[in-house]
Amino acid sequence: MSTATAEHHDHDDHGPAKGWTRWLYTTNHKDIGTLYLLFALVMFFIGGGMALIIRAELFQPGLQLVDPLFFNSMTTMHALVMIFGVVMPAFVGLANWMIPMMIGGPDMALPRLNNWSFWIMPFAFLLLLSTLFMEGGGPAGGWTLYAPLSLQGGDSFAFVIFSIHFMGISSVMGSINIVATIFNMRAPGMTLMKMPLFVWTWLITAYLLIAVIPVLAGAVTMLLTDRYFGTSFFSAAGGGDPVMYQHIFWFFGHPEVYILILPAFGIISSIIPTFARKPLFGYASMVYATASIAFLSFIVWAHHMFTVGMPLAGEMFFMFATMMISVPTGVKVFNWIATMWRGSMTFETPMLFAVGFLVMFTIGGLSGLMLAITPADIQYHDTYFVVAHFHYVLVPGAIYSIMAATYYWMPKWTGNMYDEKWGKIHFWVSTIFLNVLFFPMHFVGLAGMPRRIPDYSLQFADWNAVATIGAFGFGFSQLIFVYVVLKCMRGGEKATTEVWEGAEGLEWTVPSPAPYHTFEKPPVIN
Amino acid sequence: MNMTSLRKAHLFIAAKLCVLVVGMFGFGYLMVPIYDVLCDITGLNGKPSMEASAAPTAEMMEQEQREITVEFVSVINSGAAWTFKPTQRTMKVTPGKTYQTSYLVTNLAQRAAVGQAVPSVAPSSAAKYFNKIECFCFNRQDFEAGSTKDLPLVFFVEPDLPRSIDTITLSYTYFDIGEQGASVPDS
């Protein structure tokens, strides 16, 4: 898409550099945003391929295709790739592209740092993926890397830890950049409470990242020293405690869950008002709801550990704190519905994905509420019900919001409208197969099928076969997305400056495609 | 704002956030002692005290008439070549009175070895009422190849034990922590 941009703006004095080193040395927020998004797209297919290996093995009971160790490393790697390699970089890419344009700033605050944040990522994932080809295989103890199991794998474990360190450094640098941009680069008159919600949610997400990624770095460093340097943080023989690993991990892990969804809330809050042709209902309450979700995320971590043998008082506290999160989340859902209420709605592809998000994210939210109930969770813990829950909030949640954002802003990025027909086909095929894939997991989960197993009892066979069909359907329907994106990058109907009839915001005041440099003179905001 | 002051503002924010990053990295490590202290004070997590306690006082001995069951469980950590068994599976005890039992350990390996037992109590809320006057878990044990030891345990249960608890399970996990003289524990 940026090649098209380049050709289009050859007359521009400050256009992009020529040749491939443009991408290596670039400090332009739009270039870096593009790099992040393309990186996420590539990783999406790598992580998706792993998911298909998992589902293919689970098509029938018994061991058919892969050996159990490889299966386990597939579940582990699928999660690590999808979380750290797809959802997070895609959101950072969107932040890079959109935040400066939304707040009327010329670029990110720290452009050189921005270049580093991106270019660390490919190397981090090279390290991670290379472990699959090492003796002993990749990490196979689950993405949570629970001690002591994770310490018993192959020697490639050090590579996993260092790749997590690199990803963390990249995320933290990206977040520092985003915070500095939002605080220092706003156009005059763009007060905090006038910022688009995508900017708000990213500001809060950036703070969450800065607060918890170092905790993860600490936890994996402890694993590293336990494994290779004789410390005993998590080894009971040396006076350590494996349960403590879970506490430290989930102190990072639960805010991480909101890192993966808050920017999505911001995207949906931009798209729904555009296609309902009404301003967002309850802007201030959206901001406060986001902030309270972020705060609550720090005091609910032990709901991932209801079965470790916590005292009753602890379980009660974490149960009620967790349920409390549904209040600000409910505020958001009702605000989106109220925004659509009596709006003049049209259903272009971004809106389809946004409405799909709203419906299916809520399904995932409600199953989350079921999991929060401690006595019930003891039954659901580590079953496919949990798998169904977090896939409903991550796939039609985070991933759909990224796709919605891509369809929504792609005309601004490339200057061309995407193919609406194929966009809609992509949405419907994905949505049908996605539900075929994930909905049956609720059933097998409630019936007691444990997660992270390559083989299972015969009674679960039918729904697993259905889920596998859904998985292949969903996986291959993403090729439609690639087709639409590539087609849009190459050409198509020219987009107008506003692109969408009901769109509001500074990004729709710059020409399409957005010039290489925008808002070098700050816009006037009334 | 001119360019230099903008640059200063960026660096100021970046510096503040870097302090936060370093602080949170430290906080991750700080969670380790916080966790231990919290478990120690509250007896959460079934972590019984690893210190020898004094014998029950006369006052304690007279207080209580009820009888509870103590179950003894033994677990060998994965891959270690030992047999490890309690000499008694269960015991009826009266809170406030002192009892003695033992565990039998054999080193099955063809080499000398050092072992360490780590206790855990269930239900976890009983952990702080379970006192050990003498326990093999306080020390490591040295074994010749193929040798067997009878490891004594002297304990009592405090009479304050909540009424809702009538069975306490004491579980020991036995770890092979390497050959004699090895100072680095081998997990």
Side-chain angles (χ1 to χ4, degrees):
Chain A
M1 71 188 84
S2 299
T3 336
T5 317
E7 284 159 11
H8 215 259
H9 285 272
D10 269 350
H11 59 275
D12 197 321
D13 286 342
H14 302 286
K18 296 279 179 291
W20 65 276
T21 51
R22 165 193 172 181
W23 299 103
L24 198 60
Y25 300 147
T26 186
T27 55
N28 179 284
H29 73 103
K30 298 183 183 79
D31 280 355
I32 294 173
T34 305
L35 285 172
Y36 264 113
L37 287 167
L38 292 178
F39 176 76
L41 187 62
V42 171
M43 296 308 287
F44 184 54
F45 281 90
I46 294 175
M50 293 172 177
L52 292 188
I53 292 173
I54 295 168
R55 282 316 320 173
E57 175 59 51
L58 292 173
F59 183 62
Q60 287 180 344
L63 297 173
Q64 288 93 20
L65 298 172
V66 293
D67 67 278
L69 180 72
F70 185 71
F71 180 91
N72 287 340
S73 73
M74 282 295 103
T75 57
T76 306
M77 289 289 233
H78 164 70
L80 289 171
V81 167
M82 286 297 191
I83 292 167
F84 294 102
V86 178
V87 177
M88 288 167 70
F91 279 145
V92 178
L94 291 169
N96 262 296
W97 252 104
M98 302 318 299
I99 286 178
M101 275 163 46
M102 284 176 156
I103 61 175
D107 203 312
M108 296 294 277
L110 306 157
R112 184 71 63 192
L113 191 75
N114 208 5
N115 176 293
W116 291 343
S117 322
F118 173 75
W119 278 108
I120 288 177
M121 296 286 291
F123 296 99
F125 279 91
L126 217 56
L127 271 185
L128 182 67
L129 294 174
S130 69
T131 61
L132 285 173
F133 304 100
M134 292 179 188
E135 205 182 331
W143 80 278
T144 53
L145 305 173
Y146 275 2
L149 183 61
S150 63
L151 299 175
Q152 292 163 0
D155 263 332
S156 61
F157 191 57
F159 285 79
V160 177
I161 288 174
F162 287 130
S163 80
I164 290 175
H165 279 147
F166 280 131
M167 293 169 206
I169 291 169
S170 162
S171 306
V172 166
M173 293 199 308
S175 304
I176 289 176
N177 208 345
I178 286 168
V179 173
T181 306
I182 295 173
F183 279 136
N184 291 343
M185 308 287 278
R186 275 172 292 134
M190 174 62 76
T191 58
L192 284 177
M193 289 308 273
K194 272 189 192 162
M195 293 194 309
L197 261 170
F198 179 69
V199 181
W200 254 116
T201 52
W202 242 116
L203 178 64
I204 292 167
T205 304
Y207 269 106
L208 284 180
L209 277 163
I210 292 167
V212 301
I213 291 284
V215 176
L216 173 69
V220 296
T221 308
M222 289 180 215
L223 288 177
L224 184 79
T225 56
D226 264 20
R227 169 82 190 247
Y228 297 102
F229 300 101
T231 60
S232 300
F233 287 104
F234 311 122
S235 156
D241 192 331
V243 175
M244 186 176 66
Y245 177 79
Q246 301 188 20
H247 280 288
I248 300 174
F249 179 84
W250 286 113
F251 185 84
F252 146 80
H254 203 78
E256 169 71 17
V257 172
Y258 294 109
I259 289 164
L260 300 176
I261 202 66
L262 290 184
F265 291 166
I267 291 165
I268 301 304
S269 303
S270 302
I271 292 174
I272 287 183
T274 298
F275 295 96
R277 292 168 181 78
K278 273 175 67 193
L280 183 70
F281 183 88
Y283 171 86
S285 69
M286 286 298 223
V287 173
Y288 296 131
T290 310
S292 17
I293 291 174
F295 168 75
L296 288 172
S297 73
F298 282 100
I299 56 166
V300 297
W301 77 90
H303 68 214
H304 297 270
M305 316 165 40
F306 278 146
T307 56
V308 300
M310 264 190 295
L312 191 61
E315 300 201 328
M316 299 277 274
F317 170 79
F318 286 110
M319 174 168 94
F320 289 124
T322 304
M323 289 178 165
M324 214 145 71
I325 293 181
S326 58
V327 177
T329 315
V331 167
K332 284 178 168 294
V333 170
F334 285 115
N335 279 349
W336 289 322
I337 294 172
T339 306
M340 290 192 281
W341 178 253
R342 293 190 170 167
S344 334
M345 288 205 284
T346 51
F347 294 94
E348 285 88 344
T349 311
M351 184 62 163
L352 286 178
F353 274 96
V355 175
F357 169 98
L358 191 51
V359 173
M360 289 181 281
F361 175 79
T362 307
I363 293 176
L366 291 173
S367 61
L369 209 51
M370 289 169 73
L371 288 164
I373 305 167
T374 310
D377 179 76
I378 289 166
Q379 292 295 314
Y380 304 154
H381 185 86
D382 261 356
T383 66
Y384 260 81
F385 191 78
V386 179
V387 177
H389 158 68
F390 65 71
H391 279 97
Y392 260 95
V393 287
L394 282 174
V395 183
I399 298 284
Y400 264 36
S401 79
I402 292 164
M403 285 173 172
T406 308
Y407 283 114
Y408 184 56
W409 283 308
M410 202 157 48
K412 180 56 66 187
W413 300 337
T414 63
N416 307 317
M417 292 306 285
Y418 59 86
D419 189 327
E420 190 67 57
K421 183 183 84 183
W422 279 102
K424 284 181 172 163
I425 292 173
H426 172 224
F427 170 78
W428 285 111
V429 176
S430 296
T431 303
I432 290 167
F433 279 118
L434 182 149
N435 285 288
V436 173
L437 162 58
F438 293 122
F439 213 83
M441 291 185 183
H442 290 114
F443 309 145
V444 288
L446 289 178
M449 178 170 162
R451 60 191 279 216
R452 292 171 174 158
I453 48 155
D455 185 10
Y456 50 84
S457 168
L458 283 176
Q459 58 183 319
F460 306 126
D462 292 351
W463 285 123
N464 270 293
V466 170
T468 298
I469 292 166
F472 278 83
F474 181 75
F476 284 102
S477 63
Q478 300 322 304
L479 294 173
I480 305 173
F481 179 65
V482 176
Y483 167 73
V484 176
V485 169
L486 288 179
K487 195 175 168 199
C488 181
M489 281 160 74
R490 281 159 181 270
E493 192 196 327
K494 291 291 160 239
T496 60
T497 297
E498 280 185 329
V499 183
W500 308 108
E501 188 187 79
E504 300 214 8
L506 289 177
E507 75 264 37
W508 308 113
T509 64
V510 301
S512 304
Y516 199 56
H517 296 287
T518 40
F519 295 127
E520 285 175 305
K521 290 202 181 89
V524 180
I525 293 157
N526 43 27
Chain B
M1 219 186 294
N2 63 36
M3 280 321 274
T4 44
S5 71
L6 189 61
R7 205 178 149 70
K8 266 189 192 158
H10 292 336
L11 292 180
F12 183 61
I13 287 190
K16 274 200 295 192
L17 294 174
C18 284
V19 172
L20 184 61
V21 169
V22 174
M24 288 308 292
F25 186 77
F27 177 75
Y29 275 85
L30 196 65
M31 281 169 83
V32 177
I34 292 176
Y35 177 82
D36 280 342
V37 168
L38 216 68
C39 287
D40 241 22
I41 296 172
T42 56
L44 293 183
N45 198 25
K47 259 189 157 177
S49 165
M50 290 293 276
E51 310 269 306
S53 58
T57 57
E59 186 190 339
M60 272 188 193
M61 288 188 218
E62 279 157 24
Q63 236 174 22
E64 191 62 56
Q65 295 308 316
R66 68 178 161 146
E67 215 174 42
I68 58 165
T69 309
V70 177
E71 299 175 336
F72 299 96
V73 175
S74 62
V75 180
I76 298 159
N77 195 39
S78 61
W82 306 87
T83 58
F84 177 54
K85 287 214 162 58
T87 47
Q88 258 176 302
R89 287 280 170 200
T90 61
M91 210 182 228
K92 294 272 180 203
V93 307
T94 304
K97 294 214 171 91
T98 308
Y99 296 86
Q100 176 158 12
T101 181
S102 67
Y103 275 68
L104 268 179
V105 192
T106 307
N107 173 18
L108 299 176
Q110 299 299 310
R111 57 175 176 87
V114 182
Q116 163 81 57
V118 174
S120 170
V121 171
S124 57
S125 51
K128 63 176 173 176
Y129 303 99
F130 193 89
N131 292 305
K132 297 178 291 296
I133 297 170
E134 198 188 324
C135 176
F136 53 94
C137 59
F138 299 153
N139 320 92
R140 296 166 175 191
Q141 289 85 35
D142 294 339
F143 288 88
E144 297 302 319
S147 68
T148 299
K149 278 186 180 176
D150 189 32
L151 304 174
L153 167 69
V154 182
F155 69 93
F156 70 96
V157 178
E158 283 178 30
D160 299 338
L161 182 77
R163 292 262 154 199
S164 57
I165 299 173
D166 55 10
T167 306
I168 296 177
T169 308
L170 176 64
S171 166
Y172 281 103
T173 305
Y174 211 69
F175 289 87
D176 185 337
I177 54 173
E179 293 189 37
Q180 259 164 343
S183 57
V184 180
D186 181 355
S187 56

